[in-house]
Amino acid sequence: MAVLRHRRTAPPGTGALLEQSVTARRQRPPAAFPHRPPSALPGTAPARRPVGRLLAVALFLAAGLLAGAHQIRPAPYGDHLTSGPPAHTARARGGVVEAYDGRTLRWRYARPGRRPLSVLPTRGQAITVWDDGLVTDTDGRSVRWHRALPAATDWLRARGGAGVLRPLGRGILAVVTPSRIAAYRTADGDLRWVLPARAGCAFRPERAVRHGHALLVAQPCAHGAWTAQLVAVDDLGGIAPHRTPLGNEPSRAGRPEHPRTEKALAPPR
C-alpha cells in the first residue's frame, strides 16, 4: 500500500520575508554591555600588581638619598678636623689648632671663619676657647664636645682668651668670664657648677692664681669690701665653710652619682 508523503510548501512570499529578517539582524548594532576589565570577567583570576617590588625600589631610592644627604651635610659647628694620634702639646696658629708630638704634627683642627683664642693641652687632648664663645675638646680622633659661653662673644673678641681656661684638678675645667665661673667635666663636657659674679662686680680671669688646690679669682667691685673682691674655688665649687658639694665623678652602673640622699635642711628619718 503506497504511503503518500505530503511536502509542506511555504506560502508564496515567505522567502522574501525571511531574507529581509536576516538582513535586518545583520545590520542591527550590537547591544551595549558595560565594559568589564579582564580581571572582572567570570572565571578569570584578578591581576596582581607588583606592589612589593615597587615598595622595595622606593625604599632603596630613599636609602640612597638619605646616605647622600648625610655625606653632604655640613659638619656641626663648622668643625674641620684632620685626625691623627693623640699628642701632648697643642697651640693656636692663626685660625688653626695644631697638636704636636715633639716636632711631628699629629692633627689639625679648624672652624672656618672662627679663631682660636686660647688652647689648654691636657692628657692628650686640647681644650680650646674660640672667638665666638665656643669651648671645644679634641683628642685628635674627634671633637669630643662643644659648650657655648653665654654673653661672652664681644668680650672675648675684644680682650682675648687669656686666663679663661683654668684646670681645677680631678678632671674638672673652670671657664672664667666676667659674668661667671663655670666648671665642666673634661671627660664628657658635663656642666658641674656655676658661680655668678656679685652684683656690680666682674671676674678678671687674667688675674687668677693657683694656691694649692684652690684657684683664687679677682672680682673687682665698684663698691664693697676688699674681702668680697676675691673668690676661691676648686673642683667642687666655691670654697666656703661647711659646704656640702656634689660629687664630680662620672656615674657608674649600680652606683648613684650622689650617694648621700638625706635632706639638707632636715635630719634623716
Side-chain angles (χ1 to χ4, degrees):
M1 183 174 179
V3 179
L4 297 177
R5 296 182 178 177
H6 298 278
R7 186 176 184 181
R8 296 181 180 178
T9 58
T14 304
L17 293 175
L18 291 174
E19 184 176 355
Q20 292 177 2
S21 177
V22 171
T23 303
R25 289 182 180 179
R26 291 178 179 177
Q27 295 179 354
R28 183 183 301 171
F33 293 99
H35 177 71
R36 296 182 180 180
S39 60
L41 296 177
T44 305
R48 296 181 179 179
R49 296 182 180 179
V51 179
R53 184 179 301 176
L54 294 176
L55 182 60
V57 173
L59 291 176
F60 178 78
L61 293 177
L65 291 175
L66 290 176
H70 180 78
Q71 293 295 330
I72 64 176
R73 68 175 181 174
Y77 305 99
D79 293 339
H80 282 220
L81 176 64
T82 304
S83 60
H88 296 288
T89 60
R91 65 173 183 263
R93 185 176 181 180
V96 181
V97 178
E98 295 182 341
Y100 290 86
D101 191 358
R103 295 185 177 181
T104 304
L105 177 63
R106 294 301 188 184
W107 53 264
R108 303 176 80 241
Y109 172 40
R111 299 176 58 229
R114 308 301 179 187
R115 184 167 57 93
L117 300 179
S118 179
V119 180
L120 176 66
T122 172
R123 295 185 179 182
Q125 304 169 17
I127 300 175
T128 308
V129 58
W130 300 78
D131 63 349
D132 61 346
L134 197 69
V135 178
T136 62
D137 182 14
T138 314
D139 60 3
R141 293 180 294 269
S142 64
V143 184
R144 303 171 69 240
W145 48 264
H146 307 74
R147 294 295 179 267
L149 304 179
T153 302
D154 294 339
W155 177 82
L156 285 170
R157 290 175 177 174
R159 303 291 296 271
V164 173
L165 304 177
R166 297 285 184 168
L168 296 178
R170 298 184 182 181
I172 301 297
L173 169 75
V175 180
V176 186
T177 59
S179 59
R180 69 175 195 167
I181 303 174
Y184 300 90
R185 191 165 54 203
T186 58
D188 51 12
D190 184 60
L191 178 63
R192 302 311 300 155
W193 52 263
V194 176
L195 179 64
R198 292 177 179 268
C201 307
F203 293 119
R204 297 289 298 273
E206 72 278 6
R207 293 172 55 184
V209 295
R210 289 297 300 266
H211 181 72
H213 297 288
L215 177 68
L216 306 180
V217 184
Q219 184 185 219
C221 303
H223 304 283
W226 69 269
T227 54
Q229 300 186 29
L230 187 69
V231 297
V233 298
D234 59 9
D235 60 311
L236 300 178
I239 299 176
H242 310 295
R243 65 176 181 174
T244 55
L246 300 177
N248 288 326
E249 295 78 12
S251 59
R252 299 178 182 178
R255 180 181 178 183
E257 185 173 357
H258 312 309
R260 297 182 60 183
T261 58
E262 63 267 19
K263 297 180 181 179
L265 301 178
R269 298 180 180 178

